Amino acid sequence: MHCRLPSLASLLALGLGLLSPASAFYIPSLGPQAFRPGDRVPLNVNRVYSEHVPLPFAYYDLPFVCRPSDLQRPWLNIGEVLRGDRIASSDYELTMGTNSSCQVLCTHPMTPEANLEAERFVRQGYLIEWIVDKLPGATVYLTHRPGEEERRKSYQPGFPIGSYSKDTGETLLNNHVSMNVLYETRGESRRIVGFEVFAKSIKNSSGDCPNLNDSSAQPLVVGSLDKVTYSYSVQWIEDNSVHWNHRWDRYLSVTKPQVHWYAIFNSAVIIILLSCVVAVILMRMLNRDLTVFNEEEFRDDIEETSGWKLLHGDVFRPPRYGGLLAPLLGTTVQVMYTFIATVALGMLGILSPSYRGGLLTTGIVLFLLLGSAAGYYAGHLYRTWGGLNWFKNAVMTATLVPMFLMSIQLVLNVFLWYRSSSAAMPFSTIMLLFVLWLLVELPLTLLGGWFGFKRPPYSEPSRTNAIPRPIPPQPKYLRSLLGVVLAGALPFSVIFIELFFVLKSIWQDSFYYEYGFTLIVGLLLSLTVCETTVIMVWLSLNTGHHRWWWRAFTYGASSSVYIFAYSVFFYFTRLRAGMPDVAGFVPTLTFFVHSLLIAAVYALCTGSMGFFAAYFFVRRIYGRVKTS
């Protein structure tokens, strides 16, 4: 598990081969659903969410919406539950091919509390998510690109609950929706290729359908309403220019690929500079030192000096708290393998946005099944460092990181339950995750830990002295805090552009589908972390600091500090931008706790990459030192 990575050119070539257009993203195993004229098309409601407040809510938990008399809820996978989905049936009647100019859904009574809730949700910019044939209802945008004569249609998932005017101070509630359902014709059947929703606020006290063509109609102002009449209209539009396999194009055509290529070019420049520095260290300084040190007539003079060459008897001394480091490294291998496998499935189209919750579900399943890899690596390192109790090490590997993350999430879950957010995990989901961990991951980790412990330990290239060499005072640039700041700057500069899109997909519910770019940037990040850690560890060894194990891990994980700092910046510049009056304790706590967990998982991954790269580097250079 060292960092022997492909060259930059091969990575770019691989990425170009793997990058496929958005039109290729659909689930190959699930075919299209065909409808015939007159068939009823179900419309399901899901949740409401805001791009500014990280707290989703179930649609039917809103006190000012219409609930069906016969409420049905389909089965949800783990990923859907964890992302806050709460899909349910509705009374909206959609019949294939049958247009409806206007139809009343219901007249809902409004209490003072319901008025306040409606006003709060509108002012916080909440959007409604409806689903027809697995397509979310979308707000339509027309964009014009250079060189194109016609404007291109693109979709933004969701549509607003209402609108708020800062000038007048009025909060308007949308109580009428016009739905355009686009379909393509295949013989006698039809396939849905688009679902557009246009929401409108119109005052209606009669309980009947409003006059939609009345330009003088007043909007529905929230505040002192005693009832609200909800209505809708449906129009079926044949659009054979969009095929079913390409129907997600309009949802996924927002991001400009030039931005990603700029990020990759920026990363490539950094990689080239770092590689030059590493080449200078390996090909000039190390070769010169080794040549001089291995000459018998010069060895006595060198013993009176300082440097990395004199640490051959101490550099492989087992690390302090190795029983903690080994489980961390093993779990990180598990996380990294999960990430690689998930990205690979994403590039195959299996984890497209049409597979709701697929990314989280697949990640959880792969993480559980890869517990054997965590136990194996942790057990092997644990034995190499002189550990004796393999069972304790395996249990710690299976427990330490998952239970730490789960404990923090459960504490946060109490606050989410209090706010009745759909982001709160139900008790049944918590028990399911615990059972899966107990019956799947724990046994596999124990099995892998046993095999890893039975494997012969690594044979270090030099013997360890009985008495450790004292560590001289370290220069300022290698002291803990400053060294971390320096080591983390370059890896962060590699990913900060792509990080924006990742955070946007997490917190602002935009679809992230560019797994090819993710793979390239991830490989470039790995190479940067490995080279940066090697440089920092070599500088530490050259100053006589032979306890490099935890330092290598810390240097590799150091860019996580920048990740968290960038998340804070994202919070104030994107989530809170323009909406300073909607902050709350629970939304703020949710954002910062999740950001801290993301930074922690990132730190584990990059810290382990740096550790294995440094381990490989140290074994290689001290393997060339003649000690007798």
Side-chain angles (χ1 to χ4, degrees), residues 376-495:
Y376 179 83
Y377 281 97
H380 192 204
L381 288 172
Y382 179 70
R383 183 176 182 183
T384 300
W385 295 334
L388 301 176
N389 192 340
W390 73 270
F391 183 81
K392 177 183 177 182
N393 174 75
V395 171
M396 195 171 181
T397 303
T399 306
L400 184 62
V401 174
M403 290 305 166
F404 170 75
L405 298 177
M406 195 64 180
S407 299
I408 294 179
Q409 182 61 40
L410 287 178
V411 174
L412 178 62
N413 218 47
V414 174
F415 294 93
L416 296 176
W417 274 335
Y418 172 75
R419 287 294 305 273
S420 301
S421 172
S422 63
M425 289 187 296
F427 181 75
S428 58
T429 303
I430 296 174
M431 293 305 301
L432 176 61
L433 291 175
F434 176 76
V435 171
L436 289 174
W437 174 85
L438 185 65
L439 299 182
V440 179
E441 184 184 6
L442 182 59
L444 289 176
T445 306
L446 291 174
L447 182 64
W450 184 81
F451 278 106
F453 189 80
K454 291 299 181 181
R455 180 184 173 184
Y458 288 115
S459 178
E460 308 298 5
S462 61
R463 295 188 298 270
T464 301
N465 297 332
I467 301 176
R469 178 186 292 270
I471 299 176
Q474 297 293 292
K476 291 183 179 180
Y477 65 88
L478 288 179
R479 292 176 185 172
S480 56
L481 182 59
L482 185 57
V484 167
V485 173
L486 292 175
L490 285 178
F492 174 73
S493 64
V494 170
I495 64 168

Side-chain angles (χ1 to χ4, degrees), residues 552-611:
F553 186 87
T554 304
Y555 289 143
S558 57
S559 54
S560 62
V561 178
Y562 292 89
I563 298 292
F564 183 74
Y566 187 82
S567 299
V568 176
F569 172 78
F570 183 87
Y571 177 79
F572 287 104
T573 58
R574 295 288 300 187
L575 293 185
R576 311 277 3 123
M579 303 191 73
D581 56 335
V582 297
F585 174 74
V586 176
T588 304
L589 180 67
T590 301
F591 178 87
F592 284 102
V593 168
H594 283 164
S595 297
L596 188 61
L597 293 180
I598 292 172
V601 173
Y602 173 89
L604 287 174
C605 293
T606 53
S608 295
M609 286 189 290
F611 172 87

Side-chain angles (χ1 to χ4, degrees), residues 233-247:
S233 56
V234 182
Q235 184 176 6
W236 297 87
I237 303 174
E238 184 176 3
D239 187 357
N240 291 318
S241 63
V242 179
H243 299 296
W244 185 88
N245 290 348
H246 298 251
R247 64 179 185 166

